């Protein structure tokens, strides 16, 4: 398979990419009734293979294609709500699958490797923020000053052997821990059964400011 991503050194010289604190959040919106989604799964797995710990891929299963076939058992109401917010954020006509979103900054069709690669690199080159997430025992310490209101999300997903689906890290639950206006905040981390990620994101599904794997 042709390599998904062209070397950053070739495209941008040797400039180091800047991005949000923690791995880049790559979100895939998918459904078992989406014919193009298996190709997106392969593309996302290639992104994981090439970028390693620099990315955090999660799949949000949606059920609006259920009328085309069987019920999507992994679908969550929050998946549709999250995607609708991205539709507004990116001024799109409507949701689609397989849509991918990169740190809330870029979006692309997940079954088109060239567009995925371009979106990854654009998100990597975004201006940095001073928001930081650090783990301290069973808590996370959040510091920094966002431009406005931000939300703190706790997302649980099926990881490794727990994942019996073809979706990369399908989300099983999401919890809004609370709003954040900046400063220092200590966050008590909920229990994590498989895989979990803490996400700090501008309100309205805007830019992702920081992420932290918590499993």
């Amino acid at each position: 398979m042709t390599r998904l991503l062209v070397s950053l050194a070739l495209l941008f010289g040797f400039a180091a990419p800047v991005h949000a604190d923690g791995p880049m959040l790559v979100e895939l919106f998918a459904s078992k009734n989406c014919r193009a989604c298996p190709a997106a799964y392969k593309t996302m797995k290639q992104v994981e293979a090439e970028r390693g710990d620099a990315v955090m891929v999660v799949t949000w299963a949606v059920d609006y294609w259920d009328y085309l076939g069987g019920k999507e058992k992994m679908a969550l109401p929050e998946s549709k709500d999250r995607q609708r917010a991205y539709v507004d954020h990116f001024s799109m006509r409507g949701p689609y699958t397989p849509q991918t979103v990169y740190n809330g900054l870029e979006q692309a069709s997940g079954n088109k490797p060239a567009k995925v690669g371009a979106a990854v690199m654009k998100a990597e080159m975004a201006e940095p923020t001073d928001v930081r997430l650090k783990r301290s025992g069973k808590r996370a310490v959040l510091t920094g000053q966002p431009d406005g209101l931000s939300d703190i999300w706790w997302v649980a997903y099926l990881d490794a052997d727990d994942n019996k689906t073809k979706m990369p890290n399908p989300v099983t639950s999401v919890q809004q821990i609370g709003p954040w206006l900046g400063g220092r905040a200590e966050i008590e981390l909920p229990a994590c059964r498989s895989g979990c990620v803490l996400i700090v994101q501008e309100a309205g599904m805007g830019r992702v400011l920081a992420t932290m794997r918590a499993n």
Side-chain angles (χ1 to χ4, degrees):
M1 181 182 293
T2 303
R3 286 182 61 82
L4 172 64
L5 301 176
V6 178
S7 168
L8 283 174
L10 292 176
L11 285 179
F12 301 106
F14 292 93
V18 292
H19 45 74
D21 188 41
M24 178 189 300
L25 182 66
V26 179
E27 302 172 82
L28 168 65
F29 294 89
S31 166
K32 64 179 290 185
N33 298 304
C34 162
R35 293 183 178 180
C37 284
Y41 303 157
K42 292 181 181 179
T43 303
M44 292 299 100
K45 289 178 181 178
Q46 189 175 357
V47 170
E48 288 181 314
E50 293 193 1
R51 311 308 278 182
D53 291 339
V55 298
M56 174 72 253
V57 178
V58 295
T59 302
W60 298 88
V62 295
D63 62 4
Y64 50 76
W65 298 127
D66 281 7
Y67 71 94
L68 294 176
K71 181 179 177 61
E72 176 51 77
K73 295 180 180 179
M74 295 300 299
L76 299 172
E78 293 89 347
S79 298
K80 287 192 295 185
D81 293 341
R82 191 172 183 87
Q83 192 175 27
R84 287 193 190 102
Y86 280 134
V87 167
D88 292 339
H89 176 66
F90 291 111
S91 299
M92 298 167 59
R93 295 181 62 182
Y96 70 94
T97 57
Q99 182 186 20
T100 52
V101 179
Y102 305 83
N103 266 355
L105 294 169
E106 301 289 333
Q107 73 87 33
S109 181
N111 63 324
K112 297 180 179 179
K115 291 187 176 181
V116 167
V120 168
M121 287 187 286
K122 285 181 181 179
E124 281 184 326
M125 299 305 293
E127 290 296 323
T129 73
D130 67 346
V131 176
R132 296 292 180 267
L133 261 178
K134 293 184 179 180
R135 185 154 187 169
S136 178
K138 295 183 178 180
R139 293 186 176 187
V141 178
L142 175 61
T143 58
Q145 192 59 54
D147 292 335
L149 180 66
S150 296
D151 293 315
I152 304 171
W153 300 95
W154 176 259
V155 175
Y157 58 89
L158 296 178
D159 186 29
D161 292 342
D162 293 327
N163 184 10
K164 307 302 181 183
T165 77
K166 295 181 180 180
M167 298 176 176
N169 304 324
V171 174
T172 56
S173 66
V174 56
Q175 175 185 348
Q176 186 175 7
I177 292 179
W180 181 60
L181 283 169
R184 176 185 170 90
E186 292 193 8
I187 304 163
E188 191 77 26
L189 298 177
C192 183
R193 294 184 178 182
S194 184
C196 299
V197 58
L198 190 66
I199 302 167
V200 182
Q201 187 170 17
E202 292 177 349
M205 298 306 166
R207 178 179 180 178
V208 172
L209 302 174
T211 60
M212 186 184 75
R213 289 185 178 88
N215 49 313

